[in-house]
Amino acid sequence: MRTTAFTKTYNKRVVLSLPELTLPEGNITAVIGSNGSGKSTFAKILAGTERADDKRPILYNASVGYLPQKSFPFRMSTEKNILQNGNDPLRARALMKELGIDALAGQSAKKLSGGEAARMALCRILMKRYDLLILDEPAAAMDMESTLAAERLIRQYCAETGCAVLLITHSIGQARRLSDQLLFLQGGKLIEQGASAQLLSAPQCEETKRFLEFYGR
Amino acid sequence: MGSSVRKAIELILSADPELLNILSTTARVCLTSSVLALLIGVPVGILFGAERFPGRKVLLVLNRTLIGMPPVVCGLLFYMLFSGVGPFRHLHWLFTVKLMILAQVVLITPIIIGVMETFVADTAPALRETAKGLGFGRLKEYRLLINECLYSIFSAYLLSFARAIAEVGAVAMVGGAIAWKTNVMTTAIMMYTNRGSFTLGIALGLILLSLSLLVNIILSVMQGRLSR
């Protein structure tokens, strides 16, 4: 799956400028970078919730699923929230059980804690098959146990559906555990890309080395 | 004062025909106008909050101005439009319940639009991002948005009903407070007090407060259930 090159400008300042990219199907591509590097803007433009400067989509003929950093719980029960994205109660139950929120199925989603709401949102997006699934910090509000369960589910979803997954994360550990390839962004530019294991163990660019040293390899 | 209150209670218990007539006119005017305002105000408010279109900001400023419009000015406007020299004189609506309802709708609708716009403008961006991320179409997005708004719709209705039942300026001007025809509780209280007939005024005041309390309790209970 290929995205076109694009630029995004806010208030006459270029915040993101990326070349053509390939997101391999059946693979998880992680985007890492410090705050303000343009990771979430990339996710939004790819998902179509924001437009690049030339107003054209950067991805054609692909169904895209996007889990924003702060996902919105609809005013209904947890289970009904999940079933909004596909009428398969058995799958919904299985996903909820996997993420440990099956006991909250009947509870109002508005009353879930931050971590519970994040797990509900992940279950909801995983109900349907997309060509490209974009996950923006899906485990940011989760504890370690839930994070590992979520990573298992994402890996399983990618393998079963053969879709391309783009994972936005600031956790090097998560990128190492989950991704096949990595994109490192800084100041709105792509600094380095490559296979995760190789990029994390032997980065080529000075900026990547500094970033990994700071955040811990 | 004490004897007036006692007489007022006796009047209520005896189901005085004039009192009943005032009550039924009030109920007709308030319920019809608040429901009509709700039917117009909710979709317009949702549209103003959820969509961005040219002229939206101007319309919002206009709406905020209308929220603060004094009822007597509204009454005066309708009086001029429907009186013997006005463009709508041939309808013969002046001093009828119809025109009282119309004036109330004009007064209340901006309040509902304002309440809905504020809530939707705050909620819609996050909901829309999530819905779009899930691949939902516009129709489903709007269905979910309306579902989110139910609590606010109750709040808006509470506010509009409160304004409708307490309003006196506009209905007095366009209704004329004609006994057995267009006299509602607020205009009747004013009329009887001016005449020195405090008993009926107090009785109406008590009923007005009780009605307002009852409607508020019912709607608050329904609102509480929605928030669960």
Side-chain angles (χ1 to χ4, degrees), chain B residues 74-86:
Chain B
C74 176
L76 179 67
L77 183 76
F78 277 98
Y79 189 93
M80 289 192 309
L81 289 171
F82 288 87
S83 67
V85 290

Side-chain angles (χ1 to χ4, degrees), chain A residues 111-177:
Chain A
K111 296 198 171 156
L112 297 176
S113 70
E116 289 164 350
R119 283 183 274 165
M120 180 280 292
L122 184 62
C123 289
R124 190 170 59 188
I125 197 88
L126 294 181
M127 284 292 285
K128 207 192 274 177
R129 189 206 175 275
Y130 301 96
D131 296 330
L132 170 66
L133 178 64
I134 305 161
L135 305 168
D136 192 353
E137 311 246 18
M142 295 182 199
D143 58 23
M144 200 57 204
E145 193 186 345
S146 304
T147 300
L148 294 175
E151 287 174 5
R152 263 198 316 275
L153 267 184
I154 295 166
R155 171 59 69 194
Q156 194 183 334
Y157 176 87
C158 182
E160 279 173 8
T161 60
C163 78
V165 174
L166 186 82
L167 174 76
I168 312 291
T169 182
H170 61 256
S171 161
I172 305 295
Q174 186 168 66
R176 178 180 287 113
R177 289 191 298 272

